[in-house]
Amino acid sequence: VKLVAIADEGWICTGRMWAFIVSAAFVLAARAHHFSVDVEDVANMLAINPLTIEVRIREIKELLISVMQHLPWGHMINKTNVHVYLLFAIDFFDVLKPVAPLLRRQQLEMEAEQTATAAVAAIRQE
């Protein structure tokens, strides 16, 4: 339920059929708890298109990655292992969502500072 609410906050549910969102959330939650769930089987059970479920899974993963990538260990999260961090994301999404823009801004400022420092060092070497 919480994963569907997160998808709704990320505008993934807007204008889309609920079955695909719930199916995608179910598959992601099952994988987070180390259950092997085949998207084809879920789609056949609900008589819906498995490709659309895969698209919704990808969208939810991208949303979660976009929020968590600014954490100190965020560089370790990608689309293939986001299910490992899913429980953390669900527990702390209410905290991470409002802080994500601030963390991104800080990350950009640090990168700009590092680039400027590298440029000054390159000029000094010449």
Side-chain angles (χ1 to χ4, degrees), residues 20-124:
F20 299 107
I21 306 293
V22 172
S23 300
F26 172 75
V27 170
L28 284 172
R31 290 177 184 166
H33 289 284
H34 308 290
F35 287 98
S36 178
V37 177
D38 188 31
V39 173
E40 290 281 335
D41 293 338
V42 174
N44 289 337
M45 244 173 138
L46 299 173
I48 57 178
N49 188 348
L51 295 176
T52 309
I53 296 173
E54 290 288 348
V55 170
R56 298 299 165 253
I57 290 172
R58 188 181 71 242
E59 290 173 344
I60 293 171
K61 283 182 176 183
E62 289 171 357
L63 173 65
L64 294 171
I65 290 170
S66 71
V67 171
M68 291 192 300
Q69 71 182 353
H70 308 296
L71 295 171
W73 42 267
H75 65 281
M76 296 174 15
I77 303 170
N78 56 43
K79 288 182 184 177
T80 59
N81 68 1
V82 72
H83 65 279
V84 175
Y85 302 97
L86 182 65
L87 299 176
F88 174 85
I90 289 172
D91 287 343
F92 295 101
F93 188 79
D94 295 334
V95 175
L96 292 172
K97 184 182 176 201
V99 176
L102 174 65
L103 293 174
R104 175 66 177 154
R105 193 174 312 114
Q106 287 176 349
Q107 184 181 33
L108 290 173
E109 289 170 359
M110 285 179 21
E111 289 173 3
E113 184 178 313
Q114 290 172 351
T115 304
T117 305
V120 168
I123 291 172
R124 287 182 182 168

